[in-house]
Amino acid sequence: MTRVFSGIKPSGSVQLGNYLGALQNWVLMQEETDAVYCVVDLHALTVLHDPEELKSSTLSLTQMLMAVGLDPERCILFVQSHVKEHAECAWLMECTAAFGELRRMTQFKDKSTGNDFVSAGLFTYPALQAADILLYDTNQVPVGEDQRQHIELTRDIAIRFNSRFGETFTVPEAVIPSSGARVMDLQHPEKKMSKSEDSPQGTILLLDPPDVIEKKVKRAVTDSDDEVFFDIENKPGVSNLLSILGAATGKTPQEASKGIERYGDLKSATSEAVIELLKPVQEKYFDLADDPAETNRLIAKGAEKAREVASATLSRAQENIGLFKH
Ligand code: AMP
Ligand code: TRP
């Protein structure tokens, strides 16, 4: 069976881009594949953070993943730091990745420019991500478009490791959805929607109540000609709304534009679709949030299942790279 692996950082609230670009796909994939999903708390340490907030975001993100439809009976769902093999394997990856490769990563450039403090972990972040993926003999990695470069690097690391030290890792490929792969900020449609960006009005959070969603969509930036068609270059704001509407209703942006003539109609159709999409997710989330003990039990089981796979792969890699075993 195809092995799928993906991860999401517990750094703030989950936003619509995460859902349409990644999580929707994760839910579909757990049905047909052997899927492993991870809340990557070690990755969240690469930027300045508040320790208490990180703990509570890790728990609430796990609950949100279950609320969107991940079922711990159908997939392995766990927290990265609960499986020590990730940090251990990351060192092997750091020693296989080239400095120049890491320096070329656009996520590193974006997140480091203009910051007073840039951690070494932010630089080696993609090596830890490669460890996450390669530990599970992963075939497919469902992610948003922004992660394509990291998955390419993971492939290069796996190929290099295998050619230097013998067949060890499965070489994975990225799976990027055709619609929803890049949900843009409603206020700045040239930037991707992001929970860590300080654009609260441009970001729809999965826990936003209906009236807030409606307001944010209504105020979304469009342009002045009041014509609805999909053209990312010339109509980025309108095209973003069409992408969101399409992804929320299972259509392409072009299909979603059929029958919509004016911006007002596009905005009300989009906010309605998003509200409908998120209603059951929010209900389930609040149920789960009432019972953290149950979530804890489920993620402990998830870590146990993950460890079983990860430890076998790590042992193989350690053996092949030449670490002496007693
Ligand atoms: P992160 O929140 O950065 O850990 O991202 C988790 C997943 O959501 C990754 O697969 C990202 O590619 C995806 N993602 C994040 N923001 C967006 C966005 N604005 N549009 C599409 N996918 C996104
Ligand atoms: N870097 C990813 C992001 O920013 C999160 C991530 C960490 C990930 N490890 C992963 C995604 C492994 C896929 C597979 O979204």
Side-chain angles (χ1 to χ4, degrees):
M1 191 133 74
T2 304
R3 169 59 58 74
V4 161
F5 182 97
S6 199
I8 179 168
K9 287 192 296 286
S11 45
S13 317
V14 185
Q15 42 87 13
L16 191 64
N18 297 131
Y19 188 33
L20 300 179
L23 305 183
Q24 255 188 348
N25 228 355
W26 293 17
V27 175
L28 289 177
M29 288 180 127
Q30 73 179 343
E31 303 300 335
E32 294 140 25
T33 67
D34 196 354
V36 182
Y37 298 122
C38 183
V39 174
V40 292
D41 54 349
L42 297 175
H43 279 96
L45 305 181
T46 55
V47 291
L48 293 179
H49 71 283
D50 178 88
E52 286 312 312
E53 231 168 79
L54 177 59
K55 286 179 199 167
S56 73
S57 304
T58 301
L59 176 66
S60 68
L61 175 58
T62 312
Q63 290 165 330
M64 183 52 90
L65 293 178
M66 294 188 209
V68 300
L70 294 187
D71 175 356
E73 298 288 325
R74 293 208 168 97
C75 64
I76 299 180
L77 176 60
F78 73 105
V79 175
Q80 188 183 30
S81 64
H82 296 179
V83 179
K84 295 196 302 294
E85 283 77 1
H86 288 250
E88 232 177 308
C89 185
W91 180 250
L92 307 189
M93 302 294 101
E94 281 177 47
C95 296
T96 309
F99 183 82
E101 282 171 328
L102 294 174
R103 204 173 37 197
R104 282 195 292 277
M105 293 294 116
T106 55
Q107 184 169 304
F108 173 71
K109 289 189 214 163
D110 290 349
K111 293 205 171 179
S112 57
T113 354
N115 280 340
D116 295 340
F117 178 76
V118 177
S119 72
L122 188 64
F123 185 68
T124 57
Y125 177 121
L128 176 59
Q129 182 164 353
D132 299 341
I133 297 168
L134 300 181
L135 278 173
Y136 296 89
D137 292 324
T138 303
N139 305 108
Q140 296 184 346
V141 190
V143 281
E145 178 64 42
D146 62 329
Q147 291 300 308
R148 189 188 288 280
Q149 201 187 24
H150 287 171
I151 313 303
E152 277 302 314
L153 176 63
T154 301
R155 290 169 59 85
D156 293 342
I157 292 176
I159 292 168
R160 186 174 306 140
F161 195 106
N162 288 346
S163 83
R164 282 187 186 162
F165 308 117
E167 204 52 37
T168 310
F169 295 120
T170 302
V171 181
E173 58 182 51
V175 178
I176 296 169
S178 49
S179 64
R182 264 178 93 77
V183 176
M184 309 310 277
D185 188 292
L186 298 177
Q187 292 297 319
H188 307 278
E190 69 292 343
K191 272 187 358 190
K192 74 166 187 165
M193 189 180 281
S194 157
K195 60 199 170 188
S196 40
E197 220 55 64
D198 47 357
S199 172
Q201 290 312 313
T203 306
I204 296 178
L205 303 179
L206 293 204
L207 290 179
D208 276 345
D211 58 319
V212 173
I213 296 175
E214 205 181 325
K215 227 179 269 163
K216 287 180 179 174
V217 174
K218 207 174 252 169
R219 293 192 188 143
V221 168
T222 45
D223 48 54
S224 52
D225 69 15
D226 207 19
E227 269 186 82
V228 178
F229 60 92
F230 188 72
D231 177 350
I232 293 186
E233 285 274 296
N234 299 307
K235 298 176 80 74
V238 171
S239 301
N240 188 34
L241 291 176
L242 284 170
S243 294
I244 294 173
L245 176 59
T249 53
K251 293 180 188 158
T252 63
Q254 287 83 356
E255 284 163 7
S257 70
K258 288 205 181 101
I260 300 181
E261 310 258 305
R262 319 194 75 101
Y263 291 170
D265 299 335
L266 172 62
K267 288 181 171 178
S268 38
T270 305
S271 63
E272 259 169 52
V274 172
I275 290 167
E276 271 315 294
L277 181 74
L278 296 186
K279 202 168 133 195
V281 173
Q282 298 185 348
E283 282 168 6
K284 177 115 192 263
Y285 174 83
F286 290 116
D287 281 349
L288 290 163
D290 282 341
D291 192 1
E294 174 62 3
T295 309
N296 279 327
R297 190 185 70 77
L298 292 170
I299 53 178
K301 259 180 83 180
E304 214 174 283
K305 290 195 261 177
R307 209 173 290 127
E308 217 170 281
V309 185
S311 63
T313 316
L314 179 64
S315 264
R316 195 166 72 226
Q318 288 171 327
E319 173 77 34
N320 292 354
I321 206 172
L323 298 181
F324 181 74
K325 297 256 177 193
H326 53 79

